[in-house]
Amino acid sequence: MDFGQNSNLSEPMQPQPAEPVSGLGQGGLMVEQARKGAGWRIFWGIILALSVLANIALFLMLIGLLAFFATGQRDMLTEEVVREGPSRTKIAIITVEGIIHGELADNVYRQLKEARHDKRVKGLIVRVNSPGGTISASDQIYKEICKFRQEEKKPVVAFMQGVAASGGYYTSVACEKIIAEPTTITGSIGVISWYLVVQELLEDKLGILPVVVKSGQKKDWPSSFRAPTPEEIQYLQDKVITPALERFVEVVADGRKESLMMAEVRQLADGGIFGAEEALKEKLIDGIGYLDEAIELVKSMAGIEEARVVEYRRPFSLTDLISYRSRNVLRIDKTTLYEFSTPQILYLWSAY
């Protein structure tokens, strides 16, 4: 036997690569990885889209909140409890505070409207702390209080704090009874008018000569461009001051008809002020006390033993902040010039 011819049989055999036994070759593996990558891309795409939508929703909510607060919520009032008590019976405090003007009159109207809609309100306390203001706004508040009394048939008591003079007293006599704190200053039944004469400033200092063209002699009486004549002063007295004073006297006489005669009111209508003790002596008020005394008086008049005392306030708004900041900036425009040059007819204690 020739072993040399079969020497190849003794050589070790080299391993051969195995043939794939299924369709998952290199091409199939790449397809599977591509499918997995696409799935993750879809997943993260959905997450990104949801995140964008959420941010857009939050942004719109923020804009909505800013718009809500920026509008000032002018018709919205919050109710705050001043004295605890059963919620089924309430006494509402209506606040008249500061210089009386159109905006304050509107605010008082909204407070009265809120009290009118709440059937649990059994009576009102009108808290007054004001030296007065414009005759129009004072009369509007007076009318709204009288209207509430006539329509709702509920007791209304004025409670004076600090200063309740001139227009502040004008609004108080719309109430059935008046209680004043011991330190209150009230009265000042009268009218005041003022305006600025800028003739010397314009002509002598600035070299400005105003030119007025008018259809009649009295069209610009009185004028800020010249010192008033006695005839112009009397004209203003007859046309404006006296009618406004007569209205004030009539309002006080009607509101205090159980205590004062018309002649007595005229004697008091010299613009003088009164402390609480003197005002009580002159029958301008019905009593001296604090808020608790006013509350007890309303409960007695309403025939109730217990009540929750609430007051209405307007919530904070961005408009309030912006308008406050804008008022600190001196602005000279047509309206400002008109207000400075036109006589202001006021139910106002001018010493305030």
Side-chain angles (χ1 to χ4, degrees), residues 106-272:
D106 291 341
N107 182 259
V108 172
Y109 170 80
R110 287 192 292 271
Q111 294 180 65
L112 290 170
K113 182 179 178 181
E114 195 78 18
R116 182 179 282 109
H117 288 168
D118 190 347
K119 300 307 178 184
R120 294 172 295 178
V121 172
K122 306 303 180 182
L124 297 184
I125 294 175
V126 180
R127 176 156 48 188
V128 182
N129 187 0
S130 169
T134 67
I135 60 175
S136 176
S138 300
D139 194 61
Q140 289 173 26
I141 296 174
Y142 169 84
K143 183 205 73 171
E144 291 299 332
I145 296 173
C146 290
K147 183 179 178 181
F148 182 92
R149 287 181 56 192
Q150 293 170 1
E151 294 180 352
E152 302 299 322
K153 308 299 182 183
K154 297 176 181 178
V156 181
V157 171
F159 172 57
M160 296 178 171
Q161 289 183 301
V163 176
S166 203
Y169 185 71
Y170 189 106
T171 60
S172 298
V173 297
C175 304
E176 194 171 347
K177 297 290 183 180
I178 301 176
I179 301 295
E181 285 188 342
T183 57
T184 297
I185 295 174
T186 188
S188 188
I189 302 172
V191 189
I192 189 170
S193 175
W194 62 270
Y195 68 100
L196 301 177
V197 177
V198 295
Q199 179 182 12
E200 292 186 8
L201 174 64
L202 294 178
E203 297 181 10
D204 299 342
K205 303 297 183 181
L206 301 178
I208 299 174
L209 181 62
V211 176
V212 178
V213 180
K214 54 187 178 179
S215 60
Q217 180 186 8
K218 300 177 182 179
K219 186 61 178 176
D220 66 340
W221 282 14
S223 174
S224 293
F225 299 144
R226 64 176 185 278
T229 65
E231 185 180 6
E232 290 177 353
I233 294 295
Q234 189 61 48
Y235 177 79
L236 188 63
Q237 181 75 39
D238 295 339
K239 295 293 184 178
V240 180
I241 302 299
T242 299
L245 177 60
E246 287 298 315
R247 169 66 178 171
F248 203 155
V249 171
E250 290 174 3
V251 163
V252 174
D254 183 64
R256 304 295 299 169
K257 58 184 175 224
E258 296 182 1
S259 306
L260 292 171
M261 302 291 290
M262 177 72 76
E264 294 175 305
V265 176
R266 290 192 183 280
Q267 290 181 348
L268 297 172
D270 61 355

Side-chain angles (χ1 to χ4, degrees), residues 60-117:
L60 293 176
M61 289 177 60
L62 178 61
I63 294 298
L65 287 173
L66 290 175
F68 178 73
F69 284 105
T71 57
Q73 309 166 60
R74 305 191 69 86
D75 295 327
M76 180 182 292
L77 294 173
T78 60
E79 182 182 285
E80 297 190 16
V81 177
V82 178
R83 296 288 190 275
E84 293 290 347
S87 60
R88 65 181 180 275
T89 54
K90 294 181 181 178
I91 295 174
I93 295 177
I94 307 300
T95 303
V96 181
E97 187 170 15
I99 301 295
I100 297 175
H101 45 70
E103 185 177 350
L104 179 58
D106 291 341
N107 182 259
V108 172
Y109 170 80
R110 287 192 292 271
Q111 294 180 65
L112 290 170
K113 182 179 178 181
E114 195 78 18
R116 182 179 282 109
H117 288 168

